[in-house]
Amino acid sequence: MRRKNRKKFVETIDEKVRLWYNEFMIGKRIIAFDIGDKRIGVAISDPFNEYAMPCETYFRTKSFFADVENIAKIAKDKGAGTIVCGMPVNFDGSESVQTVKTRDFIEVLKQKTDLPIELEDERFTTMQAREVQIQGGVKRGDRKKSIDSIAASYILDGYLSRMKKRAVAKEWAETHSDSAEDILD
């Protein structure tokens, strides 16, 4: 039996972008890492890459190469299609000692996986994570267990937002004969 009052599907620019974005990314979850000297926070996207979820905290061993292999394995086990690594830079955007350590880690990670690796600015993510924990009443001693995975979720959220913005700009440029770069600027 057919319904008489069916709603017609109205395709808006937002709907087109969402469909394009999900068609391109569906089934390819994105994983993010907040790489530190002692711990590496892990976050994963939902299957539709709409939002980021804190996942786990990897506690580093004394073996750099074992850590890289374990992180590559985590990405594979989670079914990731892309890896996003937070880049720790100073407040003014300049590189720090931790930036160099993170770049070294990422270079070796690139050799251990075929997945594309994207970089995302991680300024303020640990501060945001700490603030959320404090507001949530997490005791000081328990914060280390999850602060890095929460920070990784903020890194991933920033990346997902940037990708959605690019998709919107691309769609706008295609329908209005502008360049996407002009829109993003």
Side-chain angles (χ1 to χ4, degrees):
M1 175 184 251
R2 292 180 80 168
R3 293 166 117 191
K4 291 182 179 181
N5 295 332
R6 273 201 235 182
K7 290 183 180 179
K8 290 186 179 179
F9 179 75
V10 179
E11 197 172 64
T12 63
I13 289 179
D14 289 340
E15 185 66 14
K16 282 183 183 177
V17 168
R18 187 182 65 75
L19 290 172
W20 172 85
Y21 182 79
N22 285 339
E23 180 181 307
F24 175 71
M25 296 303 288
I26 195 150
K28 298 177 183 176
R29 286 183 163 200
I30 301 171
I31 194 165
F33 297 115
D34 180 19
I35 302 165
D37 288 334
K38 296 180 181 180
R39 298 176 304 275
I40 298 175
V42 182
I44 189 92
S45 69
D46 68 297
F48 302 103
N49 295 309
E50 292 292 323
Y51 56 89
M53 301 174 289
C55 190
E56 65 185 88
T57 299
Y58 172 82
F59 290 86
R60 297 202 49 181
T61 66
K62 295 187 188 234
S63 171
F64 176 84
F65 294 104
D67 291 337
V68 173
E69 287 181 13
N70 289 332
I71 291 300
K73 185 178 182 324
I74 289 170
K76 181 181 177 185
D77 291 347
K78 299 287 183 191
T82 302
I83 296 173
V84 176
C85 294
M87 283 305 295
V89 293
N90 293 321
F91 292 126
D92 64 359
S94 62
E95 292 196 358
S96 66
V97 172
Q98 194 62 37
T99 308
V100 175
K101 290 179 184 179
T102 301
R103 279 194 201 283
D104 292 344
F105 190 95
I106 293 168
E107 288 305 313
V108 177
L109 182 60
K110 285 178 181 178
Q111 298 168 8
K112 299 292 181 186
T113 183
D114 293 332
L115 297 175
I117 298 176
E118 302 283 337
L119 306 179
E120 186 70 20
D121 187 345
E122 71 168 43
R123 279 181 279 190
F124 307 112
T125 57
T126 301
M127 290 180 3
Q128 288 175 307
R130 185 176 292 115
E131 190 62 33
V132 165
Q133 288 180 316
I134 291 169
Q135 289 176 359
V138 178
K139 293 180 182 176
R140 185 183 301 252
D142 294 334
R143 291 183 196 153
K144 287 183 180 181
K145 296 175 188 173
S146 62
I147 193 165
D148 297 298
S149 64
I150 295 170
S153 74
Y154 283 121
I155 292 166
L156 181 53
D157 188 56
Y159 176 80
L160 292 172
S161 294
R162 193 164 48 90
M163 292 299 99
K164 289 175 191 173
K165 186 176 177 182
R166 281 189 183 167
V168 168
K170 180 180 179 189
E171 180 66 28
W172 179 265
E174 288 175 359
T175 59
H176 292 83
S177 68
D178 293 335
S179 80
E181 290 78 27
D182 292 339
I183 296 166
L184 290 172
D185 289 337

